[in-house]
Amino acid sequence: MGGVAAHSEAGGAPSARAAMPQRARLQVWFLTVCGCILIWTCLVQLLVPGRLWPHAWGWNTARLFLGIAEAGSRSAHPPLAPPPPLPPLRNYTSNGYLKVSCNGGLNQMRAAICDMVTVARLLNLTLVIPELDKQSFWADPSNFDDLFDVKHFIDSLKDEVHITKRLPKKISGKASSNLLRMRPVSWSDEKYYLQQILPLFNKSNVIHFNKTDARLANNLPIHLQKLRCHVNYHALKFTPQLEALGNRLVQILQKRGFFIALHLRYEMDMLAFSGCTHGCSKEEAEELKSLRYAYPWWREKEIDSVAKRLQGFCPLTPEETTLVLEALGFDKDTEIYIASGEIYGGEKRLSTLRAAFPKLVRKEMLLDPEDLRQFQNHSSQMAALDYMVSLASDVFIPTYDGNMAKVVEGHRRYLGFRKTISLDRRKLVELLDLQNNKTLSWDDFATSVRQVLEKSIGQPTCRRVVAGKPKEEDYFYSNPQECLTNANECPMPHKSSSVK
């Protein structure tokens, strides 16, 4: 027994010693497996389609930059701002008739119509349905009723302004002697119209404003500002045909998921007018210059394209736009709708942008040609479709701060501060050139781009006022703060007025 016991004790010691290293090996094995699982999980997350961006920032960077809750999904837009309260019902004796001929493209005319309704209300006039521009670069023959729902326009403003489709026969018959044609002074406030324009109706019962762009100041008494908003966001409704087609475009895009509306203002008229030829060949630059000389009302003829670009006065090129979008973290699976007319240089000029973002679409690619046939050769009607898509997009990005960029930005603010990325082109051009010259690494470039734009994504802000310099201050229609939910946070740029 003793021998057996002794043998067991002698044999048990090595077994106990062997068991301890085995447990250690199990622990090491367990930790190794857990580590592998963790690493594999991280790799899967990075490599999921739509999350990995060529320069290792990824869609998550864009999502965080824009404050979008969940990658790949459409975040609910904030609740709509309530319609601005309007002044009490007004019954008035008309002081005369106001005829207006709008000039410019869709959005310049849209803002002008809002201004002219406001002038008619201020002066107790009867407004004749505005005439649209048919003489500009686009040569669009569209009339008001081709773009807007006339009945809705008149009915929605009947308690504010008398509106008629045409001058009465008894007035139009003697219009030649009673009609005064004139251009109001640009950026004029209500005092100019009350003191300079209203007395003219003592001699003429019809005044025809033959230019309407920027004829009203950015800052007016609050009741006039709210009327401008009411006209813009409620009274000016596109025709049922345009609304139906625009809504179909929006539905097609929304079914595909998150999408950007890119207002790529790299169009022939803009490049010719601005004199911006960066990236163009010599032949293209000459073509644009010739076009500029062909239009006498484009006053500036000899333009230093390089200086203008460095000052931030040129639209970004498609190639520059590609780099900015990538720096913001948008990847190749991002759906991008081009809300623009024909791009100068055509599909060839879009090759870099399309290579980086294959899901680049236009209305002509999403709709049947027959659907667009009635709107072709009518640039304002085609622009109306882009306007509706831009309003509904998850993010709106204009590459130039022209009329569409400003008016859409303001409308998106009114609809609950929807995301709009306003590009600081002067700072971006400086960064783009540094990156292009290899003096700024990609990571530093991407970080700098986001820093430049982090406060320019449509957040509530107060309109910047520059006394006596209306062209340098913020445009009313890009930030109609008096009509927005943050109105109480901003100082009123215009003192209370006694206008009734």
Side-chain angles (χ1 to χ4, degrees):
M1 289 293 292
V4 172
H7 178 74
S8 297
E9 289 177 8
S15 298
R17 286 193 298 269
M20 291 181 65
Q22 186 176 359
R23 282 197 296 272
R25 285 196 298 273
L26 285 171
Q27 290 175 350
V28 171
W29 177 83
F30 178 75
L31 290 172
T32 302
V33 170
C34 289
C36 290
I37 292 172
L38 181 62
I39 293 170
W40 179 250
T41 302
C42 292
L43 286 172
V44 168
Q45 288 295 314
L46 285 171
L47 293 170
V48 165
R51 299 240 181 153
L52 185 64
W53 177 69
H55 296 285
W57 291 100
W59 157 246
N60 285 324
T61 300
R63 176 172 62 86
L64 292 171
F65 176 77
L66 293 167
I68 297 172
E70 183 180 344
S73 67
R74 173 172 288 101
S75 57
H77 290 306
L80 302 186
L86 289 173
L89 177 67
R90 296 174 65 244
N91 291 313
Y92 64 93
T93 301
S94 175
N95 288 318
Y97 291 88
L98 178 62
K99 283 190 66 176
V100 296
S101 294
C102 301
N103 56 297
L106 170 67
N107 295 286
Q108 182 170 303
M109 293 192 292
R110 184 186 184 104
I113 291 166
C114 300
D115 288 348
M116 294 302 104
V117 169
T118 304
V119 169
R121 195 268 190 207
L122 175 67
L123 303 184
N124 288 345
L125 303 175
T126 298
L127 178 69
V128 181
I129 288 290
E131 299 173 353
L132 303 188
D133 190 344
K134 298 178 176 63
Q135 306 299 320
S136 64
F137 173 85
W138 304 278
D140 186 345
S142 298
N143 293 313
F144 188 96
D145 58 1
D146 293 317
L147 272 172
F148 301 109
D149 186 328
V150 176
K151 184 178 186 304
H152 176 80
F153 181 71
I154 294 174
D155 289 347
S156 63
L157 293 168
K158 64 183 179 181
D159 293 341
E160 297 301 321
V161 183
H162 297 167
I163 301 176
T164 181
K165 292 183 180 179
R166 58 190 63 86
L167 285 171
K169 288 184 179 179
K170 62 179 181 180
I171 299 294
S172 59
K174 50 184 179 180
S176 57
S177 59
N178 288 309
L179 186 145
L180 172 64
R181 290 184 176 87
M182 63 174 297
R183 297 181 183 183
V185 175
S186 298
W187 306 109
S188 296
D189 63 12
E190 77 282 5
K191 292 178 182 178
Y192 164 81
Y193 285 95
L194 287 167
Q195 297 171 7
Q196 302 295 322
I197 302 300
L198 185 56
L200 297 176
F201 283 93
N202 293 327
K203 296 181 179 179
S204 300
N205 55 8
V206 182
I207 292 183
H208 181 189
F209 290 167
N210 52 19
K211 288 286 183 181
T212 58
D213 56 314
R215 304 295 153 164
L216 200 54
N218 288 312
N219 305 300
L220 298 171
I222 190 167
H223 67 284
L224 297 179
Q225 300 289 64
K226 289 185 175 182
L227 178 57
R228 292 167 108 177
C229 290
H230 180 67
V231 181
N232 199 13
Y233 308 133
H234 299 279
L236 282 177
K237 183 179 179 182
F238 292 122
T239 64
Q241 295 85 353
L242 281 169
E243 290 274 347
L245 195 57
N247 289 335
R248 194 193 311 174
L249 261 176
V250 170
Q251 290 169 7
I252 291 170
L253 287 160
Q254 287 182 339
K255 284 179 181 178
R256 299 182 176 197
F258 176 97
F259 77 96
I260 294 171
L262 178 66
H263 182 45
L264 189 61
R265 193 67 169 96
Y266 199 78
E267 298 158 287
M268 191 176 196
D269 66 297
M270 170 50 63
L271 298 179
F273 173 76
S274 64
C276 297
T277 57
H278 179 71
C280 293
S281 66
K282 288 184 178 180
E283 291 76 16
E284 289 172 330
E286 283 300 318
E287 179 183 38
L288 295 170
K289 184 176 180 179
S290 298
L291 180 62
R292 186 161 62 251
Y293 272 89
Y295 287 86
W297 52 86
W298 290 354
R299 297 178 183 176
E300 202 174 2
K301 302 300 182 183
E302 294 297 325
I303 300 174
D304 185 340
S305 176
V306 174
K308 201 159 189 179
R309 175 177 173 271
L310 293 175
Q311 292 166 356
F313 295 145
C314 289
L316 294 186
T317 67
E319 295 81 6
E320 291 171 334
T321 302
T322 303
L323 292 173
V324 171
L325 291 175
E326 289 180 327
L328 291 174
F330 296 111
D331 62 30
K332 62 183 179 60
D333 289 319
T334 304
E335 189 94 18
I336 299 179
Y337 175 89
I338 297 184
S340 306
E342 184 178 351
I343 301 302
Y344 186 61
E347 192 61 32
K348 181 180 178 181
R349 198 63 203 263
L350 288 174
S351 59
T352 300
L353 184 61
R354 190 175 296 283
F357 300 99
K359 294 184 177 180
L360 194 67
V361 297
R362 305 172 61 90
K363 51 187 168 292
E364 293 84 357
M365 298 168 61
L366 300 175
L367 296 172
D368 190 281
E370 192 60 36
D371 294 328
L372 288 171
R373 192 179 305 280
Q374 63 177 313
F375 305 117
Q376 287 175 340
N377 300 319
H378 296 81
S379 61
S380 291
Q381 295 179 52
M382 296 290 268
L385 298 175
D386 288 339
Y387 188 97
M388 285 182 271
V389 174
S390 297
L391 277 191
S393 63
D394 293 283
V395 182
F396 174 61
I397 306 177
T399 61
Y400 184 76
D401 56 351
N403 290 295
M404 178 169 176
K406 293 175 180 177
V407 175
V408 170
E409 178 187 2
H411 203 156
R412 286 175 67 86
R413 286 179 183 274
Y414 184 78
L415 294 175
F417 297 101
R418 296 178 178 179
K419 302 296 182 186
T420 298
I421 302 180
S422 301
L423 304 181
D424 186 331
R425 294 183 307 284
R426 185 181 64 80
K427 293 180 180 178
L428 288 177
V429 162
E430 182 180 347
L431 292 173
L432 285 161
D433 288 346
L434 289 173
Q435 207 281 324
N436 207 31
N437 296 334
K438 309 299 181 184
T439 54
L440 188 66
S441 71
W442 175 263
D443 288 356
D444 289 341
F445 170 74
T447 300
S448 298
V449 167
R450 291 195 299 277
Q451 288 174 345
V452 165
L453 301 178
E454 63 184 354
K455 294 183 179 179
S456 303
I457 57 174
Q459 305 99 318
T461 58
C462 297
R463 202 167 59 246
R464 185 171 58 94
V465 178
V466 182
K469 297 181 179 180
K471 290 184 178 181
E472 297 180 18
E473 65 185 7
D474 289 343
Y475 187 44
F476 170 77
Y477 291 103
S478 67
N479 186 8
Q481 66 187 34
E482 294 87 344
C483 310
L484 306 180
T485 55
N486 69 317
N488 294 333
E489 301 170 11
C490 298
M492 286 296 103
H494 192 287
K495 294 181 180 179
S496 178
S497 171
S498 60
V499 179
K500 301 296 183 184

